[in-house]
Amino acid sequence: MPSRTVDAIVLGAGIVGVSAALHLQARGSSVAIVDRLGEEGAETSAGNTGVIQSEAVLPYGFPRNLREIALAALNRDPRAHIRYGALPSIAPALCRYFQASTPARMDQTAKAMAALVGAASAEHRKFAQAAGAGALLRGGGWIKVFRSARSEDSVHAEIEELKPYGVRPALLDRAALIALEPHVSEAALGGAHFAEPLTTPDPQRLTRSYAALFVRRGGRLEKGDALSLAQSGAAWTVATEAGPLTAKQAVVALGAWSDEVTRAFGLRLPFFVKRGYHMHYEAKGNAGLKRPVLDLEKGYAVTPMAQGLRLTTGAEFARRDDPPSSAHLDRLEPFGREMFPLGPRKDAAPWLGRRPCLPDMRPIVGPFPGRPGLWLDFAHHHLGLTLGPVSGRLIAEMISGETPVVDPAPFRAERFA
Ligand SMILES: Cc1cc2nc3c(=O)[nH]c(=O)nc-3n(C[C@H](O)[C@H](O)[C@H](O)COP(=O)(O)OP(=O)(O)OC[C@H]3O[C@@H](n4cnc5c(N)ncnc54)[C@H](O)[C@@H]3O)c2cc1C
């Protein structure tokens, strides 16, 4: 079958790939998205907490304090869950995560991320408006609640740490919390309200509405395996069900599967995944929530979604392809029931998603070293929904030779050389 040609191929149809494709298309390129599922937003971009975290300057570092490390190692801290059988495989990545989580290095990441997260909401608004999906972006922000003096102290500490970045959440006492969210139980003593971030009641529909815009503007979505990517002279070819597709530029935006392609071209990265689950619940009676609420101490969130109240878990440390387990969700559900008006479960089994991570908690957005025309846009860890559109803009600007929206240096792959 003769190869068809486009200007750019984007590998991966999650929020990150769809966003990169839209930005390339806006710069006049003909673009095809290739995904092995042949549909968009069907993996991690489907089931997340739905917060466009424009406040998320401070990275999720590995704990540094011995007590916290011991509790996490013993699976006594519900914010994380370790699959012990996976430890021999994932221990090297966890060690690198620990080493990269010194205060000085986390501070470097915070400075780099401030620019990127600061531009995130504006990019979503532009896409949503053009896609006619404004109703999928919701105002009202989100809330982190505390249930003890210890978690209240950590809220105060976070508020102080955020000040230099101009992020100023409102501290809520119990009365102020109840005024915003009347159905949060007395287990919550108060909280911090991040009023600016947008949230979505359906992250998958949001990604799909952006993909529909891409198709309306002439883009193609094809089913194919990114592992078939091959360099042919100055071009890149990938096999799709409709036949081979060739382009001068190819962007790897495969989320948790990105390292399979980078390894095939000789780039080994300290890549790992933090898996996470969700479950939908009916709301009890007429109760409900107006916005996502995070139970800070226990490390899970409950979000009012189109499908019901969605409880999302923190990190499960496991191999990417380990079979799903309900252990982490089962540990968290009693805390959720204590705090929120959760009725019966609505899903037959928990949904599993995979956050693609690098130890310094920064994505890679930039060129593949030494492979002209091959570009990388992945490892958006806890923030892929937030950062998809703005990192799509950044990669499209780099490919087109424009002045980038933020300094790309902290996001280059070479930092792991
Ligand atoms: C429980 C949970 C809660 C979260 N909450 C939030 C939140 O509130 N806010 C936020 O910003 N982020 C959140 N995240 C993170 C966010 O969901 C991810 O960072 C984001 O979805 C990653 O998007 P992606 O496009 O990189 O990957 P994905 O959405 O996983 O897409 C990757 C795509 O690559 C395709 N693919 C894989 N291998 C191949 C192959 N060989 N060939 C072709 N295609 C292939 C897949 O089919 C898939 O479509 C959360 C994550 C989890 C798990």
Side-chain angles (χ1 to χ4, degrees):
M1 212 181 285
S3 188
R4 296 156 302 134
T5 302
V6 285
D7 294 328
I9 297 168
V10 175
L11 301 167
I15 184 68
V16 173
V18 168
S19 299
L22 270 170
H23 275 294
L24 283 163
Q25 191 182 49
R27 284 159 180 78
S29 295
S30 56
V31 186
I33 303 176
V34 175
D35 195 286
R36 66 175 168 199
L37 300 176
E39 56 173 329
E40 60 287 3
E43 290 280 3
T44 314
S45 301
N48 54 52
T49 305
V51 185
I52 294 164
Q53 282 193 258
S54 51
E55 89 297 343
V57 176
L58 307 173
Y60 287 96
F62 194 96
R64 306 289 299 173
N65 148 327
L66 273 181
R67 181 179 171 274
E68 276 187 50
I69 294 174
L71 287 175
L74 295 169
N75 272 343
R76 301 262 309 273
D77 180 341
R79 292 177 299 175
H81 188 82
I82 299 173
R83 294 279 284 271
Y84 291 128
L87 266 181
S89 315
I90 62 173
L94 293 184
C95 284
R96 281 189 291 262
Y97 185 21
F98 173 74
Q99 285 161 355
S101 297
T102 60
R105 292 183 66 185
M106 289 285 107
D107 192 48
Q108 276 176 3
T109 290
K111 291 196 169 89
M113 294 298 282
L116 211 55
V117 294
S121 297
E123 295 304 322
H124 267 286
R125 282 188 209 278
K126 282 186 244 172
F127 278 177
Q129 193 187 8
L136 291 173
L137 293 182
R138 165 170 72 183
W142 69 303
I143 295 177
K144 295 184 184 180
V145 293
F146 53 82
R147 45 163 83 219
S148 67
R150 192 154 51 87
S151 46
E152 181 173 2
D153 286 348
S154 70
V155 164
H156 285 283
E158 186 179 355
I159 290 176
E160 285 307 309
E161 278 186 83
L162 285 170
K163 272 187 186 159
Y165 300 100
V167 179
R168 297 187 193 283
L171 192 62
L172 308 174
D173 60 13
R174 168 91 195 145
L177 171 64
I178 291 311
L180 289 172
E181 290 294 347
H183 301 291
V184 173
S185 84
E186 286 175 0
L189 306 179
H193 181 205
F194 296 82
E196 305 300 325
L198 299 166
T199 71
T200 178
D202 196 335
Q204 183 172 36
R205 250 185 88 204
L206 189 68
T207 302
R208 291 188 167 174
S209 71
Y210 296 173
L213 174 66
F214 166 74
V215 170
R216 277 203 301 281
R217 289 177 170 174
R220 287 213 300 266
L221 176 63
E222 297 198 16
K223 191 169 179 178
D225 187 351
L227 290 172
S228 66
L229 185 71
Q231 192 166 10
S232 41
W236 296 90
T237 299
V238 68
T240 80
E241 280 190 353
L245 196 56
T246 296
K248 278 254 165 65
Q249 316 288 348
V251 180
V252 179
L254 295 162
W257 296 270
S258 301
D259 66 323
E260 293 183 343
V261 171
T262 57
R263 256 189 284 129
F265 288 96
L267 178 63
R268 296 189 76 84
L269 294 163
F271 191 74
F272 64 105
V273 298
K274 290 188 193 176
R275 307 198 326 170
Y277 296 88
H278 83 217
M279 171 58 66
H280 294 111
Y281 298 83
E282 283 172 20
K284 275 190 184 157
N286 292 327
L289 291 176
K290 296 178 184 148
R291 53 178 71 69
V293 179
L294 174 82
D295 181 346
L296 193 63
E297 195 169 308
K298 306 299 180 191
Y300 68 91
V302 176
T303 302
M305 290 285 181
Q307 300 86 344
L309 290 175
R310 175 180 291 179
L311 188 156
T312 41
T313 70
E316 182 194 50
F317 290 98
R319 286 169 294 234
R320 187 193 62 203
D321 298 328
D322 280 342
S325 151
S326 65
H328 198 190
L329 188 90
D330 292 344
R331 280 173 74 196
L332 291 169
E333 192 182 273
F335 297 119
R337 292 196 178 284
E338 187 180 38
M339 179 78 78
F340 298 103
L342 301 183
R345 285 185 175 197
K346 294 183 82 175
D347 308 327
W351 167 92
L352 167 64
R354 297 160 176 91
R355 303 174 182 92
C357 298
L358 288 162
D360 59 5
M361 290 293 120
R362 281 180 236 162
I364 288 187
V365 187
F368 189 117
R371 299 270 182 182
L374 188 55
W375 300 84
L376 306 172
D377 187 5
F378 62 84
H380 294 76
H381 55 86
H382 296 255
L383 294 177
L385 172 68
T386 304
L387 297 177
V390 66
S391 53
R393 175 171 168 185
L394 180 58
I395 199 90
E397 287 168 342
M398 282 191 267
I399 293 173
S400 322
E402 293 169 34
T403 305
V405 55
V406 302
D407 176 10
F411 307 109
R412 293 178 79 94
E414 285 85 347
R415 69 189 195 269
F416 296 110

